[in-house]
Amino acid sequence: MRTGTAAQNSSGAGAAKKKMSGYVGFSNYPNQVHRRSVKRGFNFTLMVVGESGLGKTTLINTLFESKVYAQKDEDGARSGPATPGSAVDIASVSADIVENGVKLRLSVVDTPGFGDAVNNEDAWRPILENIESRFDAFLAQENRVNRSKIVDNRVNALVYFIKPTGHSLRAIDIEFMKQLHTRVNLIPVIARADTLTPREVEQFKARVLADINYHGIHVFKPVSDAFDDPETVADNKVIAAKMPFAVVGSESFVTRADGLRVRARQYPWGLIEVENEQHNDFVALRQMLLRTHMEELRDETDVALYESYRTQKLLALGHVQDNSVFREFNPRLQQEEDERLHAAKMHKLETEMAAVFKQKVSEKESKLKQSEEELHSRHQQMKSVLEKQRRDLEERRGRFGDVPGFAEPQLQQQRMASKDKKKNRFF
């Protein structure tokens, strides 16, 4: 493609819309990713859970067209089901598989002993602890100083084998899926579907789906988006319609009447072909698990399931998210924000200073008023005292003025004293 466009973000924060006049080359980037991925190879961890005798080993070997697991009669460690009352064990097997030059490091985690004890109330606990311990190990590697060699052994998908009872989910099935559906991509399958008639399979699927929806259990389903072509959308709908998958596994090849060798199970009444979509859902399971949605399973594990667990783990340890650390920095907006904060700070200081000044003035006015009242009171007291003294003097003057010969000498003495003062003024 020689021309292209870049979309404009409606908020104004995105790249401007431009039209290229020639070939630039960044559209070749997916090819670069493809070459690097093929060179490095892929890791995929698959966990299988179910009671003994449901064909887990056979189904895994059938899925990958290789002896990933040895048969029970060939391996002493897998010589039979766990004895009643024994604990659930966790066993992991890894294998390097190459197909058309693409390398896959496959790890299959088995859970021998699950559902085989007398009391299976907590049979899910060791499996949940194993899944979470893998999350913890990956989290510890992320927090190391040197992260150049991180080993990812997180469980990308869990295939849960449902016993073909033909009725509905048992209590152990419901409890297991309720406890683990938030930690792993859960894919329920009906094991040994050849023990049920087609009508029984459809009825059993409906009851299983009803129980899953009733208990709010989240199972992995292929989801289409705007980038998928119509063929992919149609395939996803077909796969989703067949869940939970009713599967049959077989490592044996049988020659049909037309001479074609196929993987199948031979019965006296007929032949059940593993890869015949009319007989079981093995092809749909393999299509979703390995051919079309393997990367989506890995991505869902990394982006959704692991991130949810990591967030809960860090919050439980007391970590608090600082959303400003990785926020996009705009100098102009930052300057405006600083100016706004500075203006708010100055306004606050001015308000506080005005309040302090008003309080000081009020206190000073109160003191001055109090001093004025005290002075006025003292003035009134002194005035009262002087007035009393004046009345006393007038009273005494009036009393002594009535005595004969007393007033005249006093007047003469006063005149003489006045003359002496005048003489002293000149000299």
Side-chain angles (χ1 to χ4, degrees):
M1 183 175 180
R2 288 296 188 185
T3 60
T5 58
Q8 169 71 33
N9 193 322
S10 59
S11 62
K17 185 176 181 180
K18 300 293 182 180
K19 184 176 182 180
M20 296 178 296
S21 58
Y23 177 71
V24 176
F26 64 84
S27 61
N28 195 46
Y29 180 72
N31 297 331
Q32 302 174 36
V33 176
H34 175 264
R35 289 195 299 269
R36 186 184 65 178
S37 300
V38 171
K39 181 180 179 181
R40 293 182 178 180
F42 302 91
N43 294 327
F44 191 77
T45 302
L46 177 66
M47 178 178 280
V48 290
V49 180
E51 297 180 13
S52 301
L54 293 181
K56 300 189 295 295
T57 301
T58 301
L59 183 64
I60 294 301
N61 292 341
T62 306
L63 275 172
F64 294 96
E65 297 282 348
S66 61
K67 290 281 186 178
V68 178
Y69 263 134
Q71 290 294 338
K72 294 180 181 179
D73 58 351
E74 297 175 358
D75 190 349
R78 298 174 56 81
S79 57
T83 57
S86 62
V88 178
D89 193 13
I90 307 294
S92 180
V93 175
S94 298
D96 294 323
I97 305 175
V98 180
E99 182 183 35
N100 296 331
V102 179
K103 295 178 292 185
L104 175 65
R105 178 70 175 179
L106 175 66
S107 297
V108 180
V109 184
D110 195 6
T111 56
F114 176 82
D116 298 334
V118 176
N119 183 5
N120 296 304
E121 183 178 358
D122 293 331
W124 53 268
R125 194 176 300 278
I127 301 172
L128 177 62
E129 291 175 353
N130 182 268
I131 293 174
E132 292 184 344
S133 68
R134 293 169 182 265
F135 282 163
D136 290 334
F138 190 82
L139 178 60
Q141 294 180 88
E142 280 190 329
N143 294 331
R144 293 186 313 191
V145 176
N146 185 0
R147 303 188 301 175
S148 59
K149 296 181 180 180
I150 295 182
V151 179
D152 186 4
N153 64 349
R154 295 171 295 179
V155 178
N156 302 120
L158 188 151
V159 179
Y160 183 70
F161 287 73
I162 301 172
K163 194 171 184 179
T165 61
H167 302 292
S168 60
L169 289 177
R170 300 171 299 165
I172 184 175
D173 302 326
I174 296 172
E175 185 64 22
F176 176 85
M177 290 192 283
K178 284 175 64 177
Q179 295 293 337
L180 273 79
H181 74 110
T182 60
R183 293 287 183 263
V184 69
N185 293 310
L186 195 60
I187 303 175
V189 300
I190 300 173
R192 296 194 177 279
D194 51 345
T195 60
L196 301 174
T197 65
R199 181 177 177 81
E200 289 174 341
V201 168
E202 294 301 321
Q203 293 176 348
F204 190 38
K205 280 187 177 184
R207 296 191 187 101
V208 169
L209 287 176
D211 288 341
I212 288 175
N213 294 330
Y214 178 79
H215 292 282
I217 299 171
H218 177 73
V219 298
F220 179 82
K221 290 183 179 181
V223 179
S224 303
D225 53 36
F227 295 96
D228 293 331
D229 54 69
E231 183 179 356
T232 302
V233 173
D235 291 342
N236 289 341
K237 290 181 179 179
V238 171
I239 293 174
K242 292 186 177 182
M243 296 183 70
F245 304 106
V247 296
V248 176
S250 176
E251 298 182 64
S252 302
F253 285 89
V254 178
T255 303
R256 297 192 313 190
D258 58 0
L260 182 65
R261 283 173 53 83
V262 294
R263 285 186 180 272
R265 286 185 174 272
Q266 181 72 56
Y267 293 97
W269 45 264
L271 191 69
I272 294 184
E273 300 178 17
V274 173
E275 299 185 39
N276 190 331
E277 297 186 60
Q278 301 297 324
H279 293 178
N280 70 98
D281 301 327
F282 173 82
V283 173
L285 173 63
R286 183 179 62 187
Q287 184 80 7
M288 185 190 76
L289 193 61
L290 304 179
R291 296 184 178 180
T292 59
H293 292 82
M294 176 180 281
E295 182 59 26
E296 188 173 340
L297 288 166
R298 286 161 45 90
D299 189 64
E300 181 72 12
T301 300
D302 182 53
V303 175
L305 300 172
Y306 169 70
E307 282 299 319
S308 174
Y309 176 81
R310 178 179 177 274
T311 301
Q312 296 175 10
K313 187 79 172 180
L314 294 179
L315 290 176
L317 294 175
H319 293 267
V320 180
Q321 176 68 35
D322 185 2
N323 295 323
S324 64
V325 174
F326 302 103
R327 185 176 60 186
E328 184 178 353
F329 179 75
N330 187 323
R332 182 178 178 182
L333 294 179
Q334 184 65 33
Q335 182 180 3
E336 293 177 355
E337 180 69 12
D338 293 342
E339 291 177 353
R340 186 186 66 80
L341 293 176
H342 179 71
K345 182 178 179 181
M346 295 302 297
H347 179 70
K348 181 179 179 182
L349 289 174
E350 291 177 358
T351 304
E352 292 177 352
M353 292 178 64
V356 172
F357 178 76
K358 185 176 181 180
Q359 182 181 0
K360 294 292 185 182
V361 170
S362 177
E363 292 176 356
K364 193 67 175 178
E365 289 178 346
S366 178
K367 289 182 179 179
L368 290 174
K369 186 175 182 180
Q370 184 178 359
S371 300
E372 183 181 1
E373 291 177 352
E374 291 177 356
L375 289 173
H376 182 71
S377 177
R378 290 174 59 187
H379 174 72
Q380 291 296 116
Q381 291 178 0
M382 292 176 65
K383 185 177 179 181
S384 177
V385 171
L386 292 174
E387 183 67 22
K388 183 178 179 181
Q389 291 178 356
R390 187 183 64 78
R391 288 197 303 269
D392 291 342
L393 288 174
E394 289 181 353
E395 184 180 352
R396 290 173 62 186
R397 179 181 296 176
R399 189 169 58 247
F400 289 114
D402 295 336
V403 179
F406 179 77
E408 187 63 27
Q410 286 184 343
L411 293 173
Q412 291 179 355
Q413 289 179 0
Q414 290 178 358
R415 293 192 188 102
M416 292 298 293
S418 176
K419 290 180 180 180
D420 291 338
K421 287 182 181 179
K422 290 180 180 180
K423 288 180 181 180
N424 293 333
R425 187 179 302 168
F426 291 106
F427 293 103

